[in-house]
Amino acid sequence: MTIENLNEAHSNPTISKISMFLSGIFMGNVGIFISLLSSYSIYSIVLFRGIFGAAFLTIFMLITRSFSISFFKECFKMHWKYLIIIAISNPLVVFLYFWNITLTGYAFAAFLLYTSGIFLLILLVITKEDKVSKINFISFILASVGISIIMEFWTGQILILGIVVGLFSGFSLAILIFSKKKIYKIRSKTQSIIHSNENFDAFLTLWSTLFLIFPFLPFSITDLFRITILDLIYALMLGLIPTALAFTLYNVGVKKDKGGNIIILSYFEPVMATINTAIFLKNLSIFTIIGGFFVLLANYITLKYLK
């Protein structure tokens, strides 16, 4: 498939929805890899994700002939402000999310991460970037109710640090998504003056993944020399499945998002994390299941009634 055909396929709304859904499934498995690599610090696990994710993405871009210095220069010249925001927000999102997984578990951390939808909705309304439909408002309210039930506020036993870290991760993710939406909006308006045919989705994924390396390398460089063969396999899978594949699919999805109608499909990530919690941690609350139902209902309403 040529780059032109690949880009054309990526612009299809149905492809975007499928991509976002698959992205949620792949990213929902990240907690398993954190558990498998639990002998390392959070800094090191984020570093592994960055190094091996960037390696797979670089190989993909070389195969598709998208690895071009002139292409990179063109992208940075057009989008440097938002690329800088992504370079700051993405490491924050990943580090805070991984940290919260160690504090509260897969499902809890994942659902708190996806308070990003609420923060993003607020940003879209304030900036008037996208028209937000009533259906999307209802869906995000349902998703928020689901998250609240999962958190079980009424028990008074929730870890305050976990809530703060989780909400901050959600806010950082909202900024990250908003920046990507701005970039894709600029590209759609300036398509006539864009001369390159390289895969921009892969470039954007590579850019954000590289900044999982630079901030954490000074804290974790020694762990690179003590990693075992088995841990290397785990790290490679972490770099491929919930990183290179998931991040690229996410970018394909967010490209055609309008007012949150496609992004909400990424809410399947915490549902996947809930399933993994039940299977691997064997510590699943009935309220997590009820809350997850509301999140799924929000997804269904968006898909069923979106025009």
Side-chain angles (χ1 to χ4, degrees):
M1 179 179 284
T2 65
I3 294 299
E4 291 87 346
N5 291 335
L6 192 62
N7 288 334
E8 184 179 347
H10 285 178
S11 67
N12 187 312
T14 301
I15 296 296
S16 295
K17 290 179 182 179
I18 294 172
S19 297
M20 186 64 77
F21 181 73
L22 291 175
S23 171
I25 292 176
F26 291 155
M27 286 196 281
N29 290 302
V30 73
I32 297 174
F33 296 105
I34 293 175
S35 294
L36 292 171
L37 295 167
S38 59
S39 61
Y40 301 91
S41 69
I42 297 299
Y43 298 110
S44 297
I45 299 174
V46 175
L47 178 65
F48 294 157
R49 189 181 201 183
I51 290 174
F52 296 111
F56 282 117
L57 287 162
T58 301
I59 293 171
F60 172 77
M61 293 189 73
L62 288 170
I63 292 173
T64 59
R65 299 181 180 179
S66 297
F67 199 91
S68 163
I69 299 300
S70 60
F71 172 55
F72 295 164
K73 287 181 178 179
E74 179 186 272
C75 293
F76 195 78
K77 184 178 180 180
M78 289 185 64
H79 311 295
W80 66 271
K81 292 180 182 179
Y82 293 108
L83 287 175
I84 290 174
I85 294 174
I86 289 172
I88 296 171
S89 58
N90 193 53
L92 272 176
V93 171
V94 175
F95 174 75
L96 292 171
Y97 181 34
F98 283 15
W99 183 19
N100 209 24
I101 285 175
T102 64
L103 292 173
T104 63
Y106 306 160
F108 193 95
F111 278 107
L112 277 180
L113 175 68
Y114 276 81
T115 55
S116 60
I118 302 168
F119 293 120
L120 178 63
L121 196 67
I122 294 170
L123 286 173
L124 292 176
V125 171
I126 292 174
T127 61
K128 299 180 180 179
E129 278 298 315
D130 283 343
K131 183 179 180 181
V132 182
S133 69
K134 292 180 180 179
I135 289 297
N136 286 351
F137 270 113
I138 294 171
S139 297
F140 279 110
I141 289 172
L142 283 173
S144 302
V145 170
I147 291 169
S148 299
I149 293 173
I150 289 167
M151 291 166 66
E152 299 181 49
F153 282 118
W154 58 87
T155 65
Q157 298 176 351
I158 295 300
L159 182 64
I160 298 300
L161 179 60
I163 294 175
V164 173
V165 171
L167 291 176
F168 193 27
S169 70
F171 178 71
S172 301
L173 181 57
I175 293 175
L176 177 64
I177 297 169
F178 184 80
S179 300
K180 288 182 178 181
K181 286 175 68 66
K182 288 288 291 185
I183 286 175
Y184 280 118
K185 195 167 187 176
I186 292 171
R187 291 188 74 79
S188 67
K189 290 181 177 180
T190 57
Q191 196 65 44
S192 59
I193 64 171
I194 296 176
H195 304 296
S196 59
N197 290 318
E198 289 84 355
N199 191 316
F200 181 77
D201 300 323
F203 161 77
L204 193 58
T205 307
L206 177 62
W207 172 263
S208 59
T209 305
L210 285 172
F211 287 90
L212 298 180
I213 301 175
F214 305 136
F216 301 103
L217 187 60
F219 302 100
S220 310
I221 190 169
T222 55
D223 282 339
L224 292 174
F225 299 99
R226 74 177 185 90
I227 191 169
T228 65
I229 297 298
L230 184 59
D231 289 341
L232 178 61
I233 294 172
Y234 294 150
L236 284 167
M237 293 174 66
L238 173 65
L240 176 62
I241 299 170
T243 306
L245 286 175
F247 285 3
T248 302
L249 288 168
Y250 191 95
N251 289 341
V252 173
V254 79
K255 179 191 297 187
K256 298 299 289 185
D257 178 75
K258 297 296 181 183
N261 65 306
I262 292 178
I263 286 173
I264 197 168
L265 289 172
S266 64
Y267 269 66
F268 201 80
E269 176 181 351
V271 175
M272 193 68 200
T274 301
I275 295 171
N276 288 333
T277 299
I279 295 173
F280 297 101
L281 299 184
K282 303 185 186 304
N283 180 25
L284 184 61
S285 165
I286 184 62
F287 296 108
T288 302
I289 297 173
I290 295 172
F293 169 77
F294 276 94
V295 174
L296 284 175
L297 182 61
N299 279 273
Y300 174 78
I301 289 174
T302 298
L303 288 174
K304 181 71 175 178
Y305 298 102
L306 181 68
K307 294 183 180 180

